[in-house]
């Protein structure tokens, strides 16, 4: 079966996480992704957090599936010529170097346009234009500068970063959308363009509801669904809301049977208004369904802590899965706190290709997260990540280099 992005060639100049997330998605949709790395070293993540000596790390393998790897020293004059040939042949150049690195290599936007006016140049940077535009940025810096850390955690604790890689993988996702949009526009204009996804912007986009709350707070001085209401203090900025739900349906994380020894024996419980009477029945507080202090969402807001404490008395008598089964019967929205171990072993995720086992020539079998976006006409087959420079000769031959030329370039240290 053909793939959605068949025929699209990506010059993948990305490293670490944000850029590779983006190009991996494009590869899963069928693009030919040619990853350019430095000979001898490669993407720094190949050797970071290694669990097996001398073997590409899971950090690298899990972000670089379905790509080809070529080694080019892009600071060597002959290496630059190879890169120029690739720029002429490819549709998109994706990079996430520190600000200015591509220009310092001699590949300014103007130069790239000269070489290939149809080329789309897509970049992840830490910040957009402004006071921090020259800064190098990693995941947690973006989470802090994008508003996520100040709004995550509990009111009486410091800002907290989340394990979800919203700065890196989140921005990679944003960039991928920018690229396919630019490719679509190119079908009308015939021209390439620049695509920029700044990590601060990407994180802020994912924290959109918190900027909503900032303005609500400034207008009304309070937010009734926050745990600070009614007894705590609101300051000038959106506070950390613990596990409160960000929407209009109050929720919290509650202990389940076994919580004393299992750090993940918890459930997220939402007291959705339409099923309030059913919740009262399940937890044995039938009188709350009609009690004027509890019967309406507005009446319940000042009592949320007590309400969740009462529900927790019930959830603590059930495992998270037993609680799920009972609550789902009544359409009460809830979700178990699943550990990575439980997710890795979940058969339904294996069946849908969301968790995939991959075989690698030096690592052996490992698990990865497959394509979370499923296209009915463009199914994803997850292929192992390339070894460093595994496809250099193949790609050089496609560019028209003879075996003798390839070997001379290798001797000169250009590839
Ligand atoms: N041949 C020769 N030189 C190469 C090369 C190649 N194939 N590939 C990279 N280089 C060079 C670059 O030109 C650069 O050289 P310069 O500093 O002399 O201009 C150098 O390698 C290092 O690149 P850089 O991007 O600065 O790496 P770093 O390890 O110092 O910084 C980051 C890493 C992630 C902080 C930085 O790349 C960054 O801020 N990126 C943008 C934001 C981002 O994506 N962050 C999240 C990463 S998950």
């Amino acid at each position: 079966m053909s793939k959605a992005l068949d025929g699209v060639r990506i010059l993948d100049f990305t490293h670490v996480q944000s850029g590779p997330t983006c190009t991996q998605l494009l590869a899963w949709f069928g693009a030919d992704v040619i990853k350019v790395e430095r000979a001898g070293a490669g993407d720094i993540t190949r050797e970071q957090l290694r669990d097996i000596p001398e073997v590409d790390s899971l950090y690298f393998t899990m972000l670089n599936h379905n790509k080809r790897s070529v080694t080019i020293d892009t600071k060597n004059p002959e290496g630059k010529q190879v890169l120029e040939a690739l720029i002429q042949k490819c549709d998109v150049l994706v990079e996430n170097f520190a600000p200015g690195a591509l220009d310092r290599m001699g590949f300014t936007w103007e130069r790239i346009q000269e070489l290939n006016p149809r080329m789309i140049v897509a970049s992840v940077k830490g910040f957009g234009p402004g006071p921090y535009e020259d800064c190098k940025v990693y995941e947690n810096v973006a989470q802090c500068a994008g508003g996520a850390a100040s709004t995550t955690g509990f009111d009486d604790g410091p800002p907290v970063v989340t394990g979800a890689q919203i700065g890196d993988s989140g921005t990679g996702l944003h960039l991928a959308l920018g690229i396919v949009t630019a490719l679509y526009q190119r079908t009308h204009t015939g021209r390439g363009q620049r695509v920029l996804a700044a990590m601060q912007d990407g994180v802020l986009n994912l924290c959109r509801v918190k900027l909503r709350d900032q303005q609500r707070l400034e207008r009304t001085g309070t937010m009734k669904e926050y745990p600070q209401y009614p007894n705590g203090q609101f300051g000038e900025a959106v506070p950390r809301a613990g596990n409160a739900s960000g929407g209009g349906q109050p929720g919290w994380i509650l202990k389940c049977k076994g919580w004393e020894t299992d750090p993940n024996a918890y459930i997220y419980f939402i007291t959705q208004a339409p099923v309030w009477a059913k919740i009262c029945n399940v937890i044995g507080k039938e009188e709350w369904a009609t009690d004027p202090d509890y019967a309406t969402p507005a009446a319940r807001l000042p009592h949320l802590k007590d309400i969740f404490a009462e529900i927790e008395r019930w959830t603590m008598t059930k495992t998270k899965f037993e609680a799920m089964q009972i609550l789902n019967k009544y359409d009460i929205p809830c979700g178990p706190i699943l550990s990575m171990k439980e997710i890795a072993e979940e058969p339904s995720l294996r069946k849908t290709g969301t968790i995939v086992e991959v075989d690698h020539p030096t690592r052996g079998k490992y698990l990865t997260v497959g394509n979370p976006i499923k296209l009915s006409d463009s199914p994803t087959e997850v292929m192992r990540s390339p070894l460093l420079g595994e496809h250099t000769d193949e790609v050089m031959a496609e560019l028209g280099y003879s075996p003798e030329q390839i070997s001379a370039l290798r001797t000169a240290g250009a590839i």
Side-chain angles (χ1 to χ4, degrees):
M1 194 185 273
S2 67
K3 297 280 161 63
L5 295 182
D6 268 350
V8 174
R9 272 187 296 255
I10 311 280
L11 174 48
D12 181 8
F13 230 159
T14 68
H15 64 155
V16 201
Q17 185 183 165
S18 63
T21 311
C22 164
T23 51
Q24 177 169 261
L25 276 169
L26 302 174
W28 280 338
F29 290 136
D32 177 13
V33 175
I34 303 166
K35 183 170 174 111
V36 176
E37 298 178 82
R38 234 182 312 205
D43 188 327
I44 192 168
T45 60
R46 284 189 187 265
E47 60 173 45
Q48 280 180 338
L49 311 177
R50 268 188 178 149
D51 56 329
I52 307 175
E54 307 301 318
V55 167
D56 285 340
S57 69
L58 286 164
Y59 195 2
F60 178 84
T61 54
M62 291 179 70
L63 286 161
N64 289 286
H65 294 104
N66 298 56
K67 304 180 186 179
R68 299 197 282 172
S69 165
V70 301
T71 51
I72 306 175
D73 179 349
T74 56
K75 288 186 175 164
N76 173 307
E78 287 171 287
K80 270 193 209 303
Q81 283 174 12
V82 178
L83 194 70
E84 286 182 2
L86 269 171
I87 290 173
Q88 281 164 331
K89 202 172 153 59
C90 288
D91 300 282
V92 187
L93 185 158
V94 193
E95 62 93 20
N96 67 312
F97 290 128
L102 202 58
D103 291 355
R104 286 195 291 280
M105 251 181 230
F107 293 99
T108 59
W109 165 242
E110 291 72 25
R111 176 69 187 133
I112 294 171
Q113 284 252 286
E114 251 170 47
L115 291 166
N116 179 358
R118 286 173 60 80
M119 173 65 87
I120 290 158
V121 178
S123 305
V124 170
K125 294 288 166 264
F127 293 93
Y132 303 123
E133 65 187 307
D134 291 330
C135 296
K136 290 189 174 185
V137 170
Y138 284 106
E139 172 68 47
N140 289 343
V141 175
Q143 288 198 25
C144 293
S150 83
T151 53
T152 304
F154 288 87
D155 198 24
D156 56 358
V160 173
V161 294
T162 161
Q165 304 286 283
I166 57 176
D168 279 338
S169 290
T171 308
L173 266 164
H174 283 90
L175 191 72
L177 178 59
I179 290 169
V180 291
T181 306
L183 280 168
Y184 182 70
Q185 192 172 11
R186 196 182 71 173
T187 62
H188 311 307
T189 64
R191 283 195 315 275
Q193 61 181 300
R194 278 176 289 182
V195 180
L196 170 67
M199 294 167 74
Q200 181 185 40
D201 302 6
V203 170
L204 178 57
N205 184 35
L206 299 176
C207 291
R208 178 174 293 264
V209 296
K210 298 296 177 181
L211 186 57
R212 170 200 71 191
D213 290 351
Q214 179 63 34
Q215 296 171 83
R216 291 171 60 219
L217 180 66
E218 283 170 16
R219 193 177 303 276
T220 66
T222 189
M223 289 182 295
K224 293 180 177 170
E225 79 282 16
Y226 273 62
Q228 288 77 4
Y229 177 83
N231 302 319
Q233 293 279 313
F234 282 96
E236 287 186 341
V238 173
R240 295 186 264 288
N243 289 316
S245 101
Q249 307 288 352
W252 202 253
I253 288 185
L254 305 176
K255 291 171 182 158
C256 290
K257 198 169 168 178
W259 66 274
E260 298 91 336
T261 51
D262 177 355
N264 295 303
Y266 288 84
I267 192 164
Y268 199 90
F269 194 107
I270 298 174
T271 55
Q272 194 203 20
V275 290
W276 176 243
K278 291 177 186 170
I279 294 171
C280 297
N281 274 340
V282 168
I283 65 167
K285 294 289 282 183
E286 289 82 357
E287 66 277 16
W288 275 359
T290 47
D291 182 334
D293 278 347
Y294 293 88
T296 65
R300 287 195 288 277
L301 284 173
H303 310 296
L304 281 181
K305 267 197 186 113
D306 300 338
I307 290 171
F308 283 121
E310 192 61 41
I311 299 172
E312 191 172 61
R313 269 191 271 283
W314 178 81
T315 55
M316 280 165 71
T317 66
K318 309 275 179 279
T319 68
K320 60 189 173 190
F321 298 113
E322 288 166 353
M324 273 289 287
Q325 243 181 357
I326 297 168
L327 297 170
N328 274 319
K329 265 202 311 227
Y330 299 105
D331 281 338
I332 299 168
C334 56
I337 307 305
L338 293 182
S339 69
M340 272 302 146
K341 184 169 166 43
E342 287 165 329
I343 287 172
E345 291 165 359
E346 172 57 44
S348 65
L349 294 176
R350 299 286 183 107
K351 222 168 153 187
T352 56
T354 296
I355 299 278
V356 186
E357 190 176 76
V358 183
D359 206 358
H360 185 274
T362 55
R363 153 169 297 283
K365 289 193 181 352
Y366 66 95
L367 287 185
T368 195
V369 184
N371 192 346
I373 305 165
K374 319 284 198 252
L375 268 61
S376 61
D377 250 9
S378 182
T380 297
E381 190 192 342
V382 179
M383 319 277 277
R384 71 165 173 87
S385 60
L387 302 173
L388 179 59
E390 186 176 344
H391 304 95
T392 306
D393 288 28
E394 179 182 300
V395 170
M396 295 290 290
E398 285 167 16
L399 290 173
Y401 288 85
S402 68
E404 295 71 32
Q405 288 172 314
I406 296 172
S407 128
L409 284 170
R410 191 162 278 131
T411 311
I415 57 172

